Amino acid sequence: MAQKSEPGNNYETCYTFIIKTGSDVPIKESTRKWDDGPMILTINPGSETTSSQELRVDEHFNFKTEGAVTVDFWLPRHIGVPKLLKVDLESDKLELFGKDALYVREITILYDRVPYRFPIKNFIYPHHPIHNPTEPRKGCVPHFLIREGAGTLKHHETEDFIIRAREEDLKNTKSMVNWKKSKDVVGDLLYPGLVDVMEYNKLPRFLQFKEANYDMILDFTDKGRDEIKSNVFNNLRAKVLGTYKENRFASFEEFELYLKHKSNEMGWPKENISEAMKVAKNFHTDEEFGRQMLCGPNAQQVQKVMSLDGRWAGRDVPEHALEGKSLQDVMEQGKLFQVTTDELDGIPHGGSFSKKLTGTEQTWYTILADCLLYLRNDGKLVPVLIRLENRNDGKPATWWSPPEPEITDLDHPGYLAWLYAKMWFRSADMNCYVMCTHFSKCHAVSETIAVAAYRNLPNAHPVFRILQPHIQGIIPVNVNARAVVISPKKNVFSLFLSSGSSTTEVFHNYFKKFSYNDLVVPEDVKKRGVEDIPEYLYRDDMMSHWEIIHQYLEELVHLSYHSDDDVLKDQELQDFLQEVVDIGFHRFENGAGFPRNISKREKLVEYLTVVVVNISVFHTAVNFQTFSYVTFQPNMPSSMTQPPPGQDDQITMETILDSLPLLETTFYAMNASNLLGTFSPIERFYLGDHGQNKLGMLGENMVVSPEQEACIRRMGERMRGLKDKIDNRNKGRYMKYDVLSPINTPITTQA
């Protein structure tokens, strides 16, 4: 401990500062210290009666990995309780030689043996001693002005110097986080508001601190790019030599062998490969098809059929598929469900990059596909009718049903025709999953809320401190995605998805139907009519997370908002809500149903639960199973290279294999799914697990009062109970469902 000043008289008392720095990024230079200059601290700056002088801390601070410096100052007792802390950084080092910003996690002041905590979690850039900047510089605020403890509502503050500091803090952050008009990105198509930054390294520094994850993404991307370059080069060379031949798979077994080989070569996780091989063994069965509709990565689409009008009008299903009942009977019994892919309506065929990738120009067919599913008496959900429509080529819809039960030969034309129809549906479902369920609902919606939060909620606001650990990853991930995944020049989706060249149009189709209530898990379950489907493990675990997080947030909200009147009087909160609607969803009908203002604590708790669950739990459900279900491409083909079958076509195994993606496309889908399904090395989870080197939520948050941390611990206990429940449920299962176990559920979106 460094002692910075000695006691002078009886009117002085000791203030001990514990300064925690370092962004917890695991890199090789982990022992590097920040020593460019002193840190300048001021207690209660701006107060006429309780402000300290500037306190100079000449220490070497941890720069990358976490560390702490402790210093003592003897200060006049009249300063009293530290309510506000100003943090400055100075350096006379020339810009020419490079100066670094310092990440400050938290500063704790011990005064009269009581800890006063100032959560920061932000970067600060040093200024020259003779300068006193008042505007953000190098993506950093000029200085920190941090309120102590749990955070406060502005109308609860009574001291002018604290209110002024709060307003200055928000003004500085707001100037660095600006809206980009969605019209500038997608024209007249629907898309939520987004941050006005197109390159990761131009983001404010506090949105760049996850370098480890960013470097991991680039590393995986480079590995995949090297493999693709090699494939392209080999194809060109073969064409010159006259030896070129399309790299098609000759059997499902070859897909399996390729998956094993590439997984070993690329170093993909063995556990994920094991799950993918289980899928490969059973994907052809109706029972596995139905299970994936309930427990796969796109398990949010099943809805009860309430009428046989519309797309199902005049259609029937063989009675053997419905256990001797009619379609009308099973619908009236509440046992008929559907999954549709309307988001692909009007989307053209893809494959524009196929020649560059595979050596031959292909059409990747984008069609509309719908599926009816029946809940059997044994509790299994199985497909019973599939509708395929190649609307792009003006072809009539075709209808497909399961073969007679006596057909057991896997090479029988009737069996192959049904398998082929299921694969066409799964391909359409895969395209909707990637661009609608995953990117649109998780990423795009969450970014809009995060931008509004940074612009309207100061560091001192309790809602900002609640949301910060959850929203911190989404903006940089999306900016990176727009640069290297969905940009017109680097559209990764177009390299393996049939609809990948039409991302903005697919987004638009999804957002035409999107509403706030889609994010309220209990309402969504009720609206889709899926409360009673057995073994719907996605639904069960989402509901459990919703209830736990809702209770946690209710406790936190009640600590800061003592009544509904506090919610109504919180103008910063109301500004945040209004900006989400007026800018984020201003082109959506009725602001997509998002509340423009909130006057009740109960509604605020629901809103915050929506934000936290969507950005963490829902994203986990759709993101971290991708490898298991996509890498064996016959299960969820990313594209189909032959036209869909006519009603009277004779389907053979050769027909099926000729329609599936080529080797090069298959690899791209595999590599992308591995990238998406890999945890960041600095991920935080709702429940830590030291055995798996997983860090928990406590410590990665800005709610730091003892009462608030007690809320986190109680939530952790409930999450522990959920983990135990999931562990017990998975015992003896061939395909376990533990993607939403709290030890596997990150608290933010980073991929």
Side-chain angles (χ1 to χ4, degrees):
M1 177 185 293
Q3 193 163 340
K4 290 300 178 181
S5 60
E6 300 293 336
N9 54 54
N10 294 331
Y11 296 101
E12 290 189 336
T13 189
C14 183
Y15 288 75
T16 298
F17 291 74
I18 304 169
I19 305 167
K20 298 179 180 179
T21 60
S23 56
D24 194 23
V25 177
I27 62 170
K28 293 179 181 177
E29 313 95 87
S30 59
T31 58
R32 181 184 169 190
K33 300 287 186 177
W34 194 95
D35 57 357
D36 287 355
M39 181 179 289
I40 310 298
L41 305 173
T42 309
I43 297 175
N44 299 335
S47 170
E48 295 181 0
T49 58
T50 63
S51 177
S52 74
Q53 75 269 30
E54 292 186 345
L55 310 172
R56 181 185 178 99
V57 182
D58 289 295
E59 295 287 340
H60 291 178
F61 301 102
N62 274 56
F63 181 58
K64 290 290 185 179
T65 52
E66 293 183 3
V69 166
T70 303
V71 295
D72 288 338
F73 286 96
W74 288 87
L75 303 174
R77 180 170 286 276
H78 72 81
I79 292 172
V81 172
K83 302 173 183 177
L84 183 71
L85 182 64
K86 181 179 180 181
V87 183
D88 245 325
L89 209 57
E90 291 185 354
S91 174
D92 56 9
K93 188 176 180 180
L94 296 176
E95 295 281 354
L96 179 65
F97 298 103
K99 290 194 287 191
D100 289 310
L102 178 66
Y103 184 72
V104 184
R105 292 184 289 118
E106 180 181 315
I107 295 177
T108 299
I109 300 176
L110 295 178
Y111 167 71
D112 276 358
R113 299 186 178 182
V114 176
Y116 295 87
R117 297 176 64 181
F118 296 82
I120 300 174
K121 294 191 178 298
N122 202 343
F123 280 90
I124 186 168
Y125 189 80
H127 61 81
H128 196 276
I130 65 173
H131 298 145
N132 188 22
T134 58
E135 302 290 335
R137 184 165 173 264
K138 300 289 186 179
C140 299
V141 295
H143 44 250
F144 300 138
L145 292 165
I146 308 298
R147 189 70 165 93
E148 183 273 333
T152 59
L153 303 179
K154 187 176 181 180
H155 65 272
H156 286 173
E157 297 287 14
T158 59
E159 298 179 273
D160 288 343
F161 77 94
I162 292 179
I163 294 174
R164 289 195 302 271
R166 184 188 193 101
E167 292 172 346
E168 181 183 340
D169 169 59
L170 181 58
K171 178 185 175 183
N172 284 328
T173 301
K174 194 169 187 174
S175 70
M176 293 190 290
V177 181
N178 296 296
W179 290 104
K180 186 176 187 68
K181 294 180 180 178
S182 58
K183 193 169 184 178
D184 294 340
V185 181
V186 297
D188 292 326
L189 302 178
L190 278 181
Y191 193 86
L194 62 158
V195 72
D196 190 18
V197 177
M198 299 307 290
E199 296 178 30
Y200 176 87
N201 60 8
K202 292 184 179 179
L203 282 166
R205 258 327 251 114
F206 61 84
L207 291 176
Q208 290 186 44
F209 80 102
K210 298 293 186 182
E211 290 99 336
N213 187 48
Y214 182 64
D215 290 344
M216 180 194 74
I217 291 173
L218 294 181
D219 182 53
F220 277 122
T221 303
D222 289 343
K223 284 184 178 180
R225 188 181 295 115
D226 290 343
E227 177 73 15
I228 290 163
K229 286 180 179 178
S230 175
N231 289 336
V232 171
F233 174 77
N234 289 337
N235 286 333
L236 290 174
R237 183 177 61 180
K239 283 198 168 187
V240 171
L241 297 176
T243 59
Y244 172 79
K245 183 180 179 182
E246 283 188 339
N247 287 316
R248 290 199 177 275
F249 294 91
S251 66
F252 293 151
E253 290 74 20
E254 283 196 6
F255 276 99
E256 289 187 62
L257 291 172
Y258 183 72
L259 170 57
K260 290 179 181 178
H261 169 70
K262 274 299 166 190
S263 295
N264 289 330
E265 184 179 293
M266 300 295 291
W268 294 335
K270 294 291 190 292
E271 182 179 1
N272 292 347
I273 299 167
S274 175
E275 293 297 296
M277 299 312 295
K278 290 179 183 178
V279 168
K281 298 298 182 187
N282 295 286
F283 85 101
H284 61 281
T285 69
D286 289 350
E287 291 78 7
E288 176 61 14
F289 182 103
R291 189 194 68 80
Q292 291 187 32
M293 292 295 100
L294 300 177
C295 301
N298 202 27
Q300 311 78 30
Q301 308 307 314
V302 177
Q303 57 183 322
K304 183 176 288 185
V305 175
M306 306 302 293
S307 169
L308 293 175
D309 295 334
R311 75 187 77 215
W312 308 117
R315 292 295 153 185
D316 209 348
V317 173
E319 287 193 355
H320 71 79
L322 301 174
E323 299 179 306
K325 305 168 190 174
S326 71
L327 204 56
Q328 184 70 28
D329 288 340
V330 298
M331 185 196 71
E332 292 176 354
Q333 293 169 5
K335 292 189 172 185
L336 194 63
F337 299 86
Q338 67 178 10
V339 178
T340 62
T341 60
D342 294 342
E343 294 86 353
L344 299 180
D345 189 14
I347 304 304
H349 300 317
S352 57
F353 289 95
S354 57
K355 185 173 183 179
K356 179 179 179 181
L357 188 64
T358 69
T360 58
E361 188 170 344
Q362 305 153 26
T363 298
W364 294 348
Y365 287 85
T366 304
I367 69 164
L368 296 175
D370 307 311
C371 181
L372 272 182
L373 300 111
Y374 165 58
L375 185 59
R376 291 190 321 208
N377 292 335
D378 64 358
K380 302 287 187 182
L381 189 71
V382 293
V384 294
L385 183 64
I386 288 176
R387 173 185 176 274
L388 306 177
E389 183 181 359
N390 182 6
R391 193 171 292 178
N392 285 325
D393 297 329
K395 302 295 183 180
T398 59
W399 302 85
W400 308 86
S401 296
E404 297 289 337
E406 56 266 21
I407 296 177
T408 57
D409 181 3
L410 301 187
D411 292 322
H412 188 281
Y415 178 86
L416 292 176
W418 177 233
L419 175 61
Y420 195 37
K422 290 190 292 182
M423 293 169 75
W424 272 99
F425 170 80
R426 292 290 278 158
S427 180
D429 185 54
M430 163 75 173
N431 279 261
C432 290
Y433 152 67
V434 171
M435 292 202 280
C436 301
T437 308
H438 187 177
F439 193 84
S440 297
K441 187 175 181 181
C442 291
H443 286 258
V445 171
S446 295
E447 178 181 358
T448 299
I449 295 168
V451 171
Y454 280 112
R455 287 176 49 80
N456 292 281
L457 301 175
N459 173 287
H461 199 288
V463 168
F464 178 81
R465 293 190 176 186
I466 290 170
L467 291 182
Q468 192 273 342
H470 302 287
I471 65 175
Q472 64 181 341
I474 188 64
I475 295 176
V477 163
N478 282 11
V479 167
N480 190 46
R482 285 192 287 274
V484 302
V485 178
I486 60 172
S487 74
K489 295 181 179 179
K490 295 181 180 179
N491 186 343
V492 170
F493 289 161
S494 66
L495 296 175
F496 66 99
L497 290 174
S498 58
S499 61
S501 296
S502 304
T503 52
T504 54
E505 291 80 6
V506 179
F507 297 156
H508 171 78
N509 284 350
Y510 171 77
F511 283 120
K512 284 191 297 185
K513 300 186 299 180
F514 169 76
S515 77
Y516 168 84
N517 278 341
D518 295 340
L519 307 176
V520 182
V521 175
E523 290 296 318
D524 175 63
V525 169
K526 182 179 179 180
K527 181 181 73 173
R528 293 190 289 118
V530 294
E531 302 97 319
D532 300 323
I533 299 179
E535 291 293 295
Y536 195 177
L537 305 185
Y538 160 80
R539 173 205 61 205
D540 295 343
D541 293 351
M542 282 293 294
M543 285 293 291
S544 294
H545 273 282
W546 175 275
E547 291 164 3
I548 292 171
I549 292 171
H550 185 279
Q551 185 175 352
Y552 158 70
L553 292 171
E554 184 176 53
E555 293 174 2
L556 288 178
V557 164
H558 283 213
L559 287 175
S560 297
Y561 295 85
H562 304 142
S563 67
D564 290 340
D565 192 51
D566 274 338
V567 177
L568 192 60
K569 289 180 177 177
D570 184 357
Q571 192 57 49
E572 291 168 335
L573 173 69
Q574 303 302 333
D575 290 345
F576 159 61
L577 298 171
Q578 289 168 20
E579 196 159 288
V580 168
V581 173
D582 293 349
I583 300 180
F585 292 100
H586 77 287
R587 298 174 63 202
F588 290 63
E589 184 178 353
N590 193 31
F594 278 80
R596 194 172 183 273
N597 50 68
I598 290 176
S599 59
K600 302 289 186 182
R601 290 191 296 178
E602 179 183 2
K603 187 64 176 179
L604 175 57
V605 172
E606 178 197 88
Y607 192 99
L608 298 180
T609 307
V610 159
V611 174
V612 172
V613 168
N614 189 57
I615 207 168
S616 59
V617 184
F618 181 73
H619 179 262
T620 297
V622 303
N623 185 71
F624 290 107
Q625 292 194 102
T626 311
F627 190 95
S628 299
Y629 290 97
V630 174
T631 47
F632 179 71
Q633 274 282 276
N635 181 61
M636 289 183 76
S638 57
S639 55
M640 301 291 272
T641 64
Q642 299 295 327
Q647 195 67 70
D648 299 322
D649 287 359
Q650 186 83 354
I651 306 302
T652 66
M653 183 58 75
E654 184 179 5
T655 307
I656 295 175
L657 293 170
D658 282 349
S659 299
L660 290 172
L662 272 64
L663 178 146
E664 296 88 351
T665 315
T666 295
F667 171 78
Y668 215 109
M670 291 164 61
N671 191 59
S673 66
N674 175 68
L675 170 61
L676 292 174
T678 301
F679 291 129
S680 159
I682 49 175
E683 208 87 65
R684 289 273 185 165
F685 299 83
Y686 278 104
L687 202 59
D689 188 307
H690 292 297
Q692 299 185 46
N693 197 28
K694 291 181 176 179
L695 297 174
M697 184 173 172
L698 196 63
E700 182 64 17
N701 57 78
M702 295 185 71
V703 287
V704 297
S705 74
E707 297 83 2
Q708 290 172 325
E709 290 200 328
C711 293
I712 296 178
R713 290 189 174 91
R714 284 193 294 271
M715 180 181 67
E717 292 170 3
R718 293 187 283 269
M719 287 290 186
R720 176 67 62 183
L722 176 58
K723 176 192 177 296
D724 293 342
K725 175 184 174 182
I726 292 173
D727 288 346
N728 290 330
R729 184 188 69 198
N730 279 323
K731 289 178 180 177
R733 286 182 183 269
Y734 180 70
M735 287 292 294
K736 62 184 179 180
Y737 187 81
D738 64 353
V739 65
L740 289 180
S741 173
I743 64 168
N744 295 329
T745 307
I747 65 174
T748 187
T749 296
Q750 295 194 55

